Amino acid sequence: MTAPAVLGTDRLELGEGIRWTDGRAVLTDILTGRLLSASEDPAAPLTLIAQLPCPLGAVAPVEGRPGHWIAAAGTGICRIDPAGRVDWIARPEEGAPVPMRMNDGVADPHGRFWAGSMAYEATQDAGSLYRLDRDGRVTRVLRDVTIPNGPAFSADGTVMYLADSARGVIRRYPVDPVSGDPGTPEPFVTLGSGSPDGMTTDIEGCLWTAVWGTGQVHRYRPDGTLDRIVDLPAGQPAGLCLGGPDGRTLLVTSAHIGLAAPGPLDGAVFALRVDVPGAPAAPYRPAVPPAPAPADRAGTL
């Protein structure tokens, strides 16, 4: 394992949702609503892909539609086209009892998109987990989560890991491969310090998680035992993925939000080499692949 390198010159307020897709790393700066891509050149700034007028938690590419994204954003789930235009699919947290926003999200190996919501003030149990099915339906599948992060899935999509960061716990759920419905969870890991944040799995079935507040990334074996700790020069690691041409580059975002005196690398994006690869980000797969959009309808799927 190599020492972490810094990608780019930017320092993000709340860097999250990093994914390796289409030969590049894409990520979000949640509260500024920016979708960005990272260069391997440490002297190059991050490149703006899209700017939303609302928080942007995470995206998944749309299969067969280069430049199109499904996003956890604002109070729901939307499509983003190559011009950065937004088409809302559902806004289930609009008008909630407390102000809400979407947080992390990911597509599973079956082509569905999952996204969590949380209160701006991290109100206990205010958050939920939603699933966008391939036919376009949005379903609330879990309630009573405070700060959902992830989820991450096993390679066959039958196991889901979901962090409730405020409680310091990662739970493991069986998932019905046909319906996508999660079953009864079991505790997977409870952290003694710090908060589990973004997560991903590798080809050995191990789970990687950024641990907010500790400056660390942890790798856990499938039985929940801690396999290794990666130290980073930033106190608030937030999102991560495994990517690069061979899947062996661990990419980690961080944040400087809430820090009274941020260090020079708080909010940076890091990259380091690891031994076991992961897979590129799974795409969202519409049930009926859409025909190419005419120029005047480029914002639709």
Side-chain angles (χ1 to χ4, degrees):
M1 181 179 296
T2 62
V6 178
L7 297 185
T9 57
D10 300 67
R11 301 295 178 262
L12 304 172
E13 180 183 18
L14 184 52
E16 273 272 17
I18 191 164
R19 306 285 181 262
W20 182 264
T21 179
D22 194 27
R24 61 177 176 170
V26 300
L27 60 138
T28 66
D29 195 8
I30 293 182
L31 298 180
T32 67
R34 294 184 297 160
L35 179 61
L36 305 157
S37 65
S39 167
E40 293 184 2
D41 181 357
L46 300 176
T47 301
L48 181 68
I49 299 172
Q51 172 74 68
L52 272 62
C54 59
L56 174 61
V59 301
V62 179
E63 186 175 68
R65 300 296 302 275
H68 289 254
W69 310 91
I70 294 293
T75 54
I77 298 172
C78 66
R79 305 175 182 94
I80 304 173
D81 77 359
R85 291 173 292 195
V86 173
D87 175 24
W88 289 100
I89 298 171
R91 287 187 266 197
E93 296 292 1
E94 193 77 16
V98 296
M100 301 286 291
R101 68 167 176 85
M102 302 303 287
N103 198 42
D104 207 355
V106 70
D108 71 17
H110 297 284
R112 299 174 284 242
F113 183 71
W114 303 68
S117 67
M118 62 173 286
Y120 277 94
E121 300 299 325
T123 305
Q124 184 171 330
D125 293 341
S128 297
L129 182 68
Y130 295 92
R131 186 188 67 234
L132 170 65
D133 288 323
R134 296 180 61 197
D135 62 6
R137 291 180 299 172
V138 174
T139 303
R140 188 197 310 255
V141 293
L142 294 173
R143 298 175 181 267
D144 302 327
V145 186
T146 302
I147 303 179
N149 268 298
F153 289 87
S154 61
D156 63 2
T158 62
V159 175
M160 177 180 75
Y161 298 92
L162 183 71
D164 191 342
S165 300
R167 291 184 166 90
V169 64
I170 301 171
R171 298 185 179 95
R172 179 165 53 191
Y173 296 76
V175 178
D176 185 290
V178 176
S179 68
D181 292 336
T184 302
E186 61 180 4
F188 180 65
V189 170
T190 300
L191 274 67
S193 62
S195 301
D197 206 310
M199 300 186 294
T200 194
T201 57
D202 61 31
I203 65 167
E204 291 183 349
C206 293
L207 181 76
W208 293 82
T209 182
V211 185
W212 179 279
T214 67
Q216 294 180 339
V217 169
H218 292 181
R219 182 182 190 247
Y220 292 95
R221 298 189 184 99
D223 63 2
T225 58
L226 179 61
D227 174 69
R228 77 185 62 171
I229 294 174
V230 178
D231 291 308
L232 296 170
Q236 296 180 154
L240 52 70
C241 71
L242 289 163
D246 61 1
R248 288 184 167 88
T249 300
L250 179 65
L251 298 159
V252 188
T253 61
S254 65
H256 64 68
I257 189 171
L259 296 176
L265 295 179
D266 286 310
V269 180
F270 301 96
L272 62 153
R273 297 286 291 169
V274 296
D275 298 330
V276 181
Y284 173 70
R285 301 202 308 269
V288 179
D296 64 345
R297 295 184 63 248
T300 64
L301 287 177

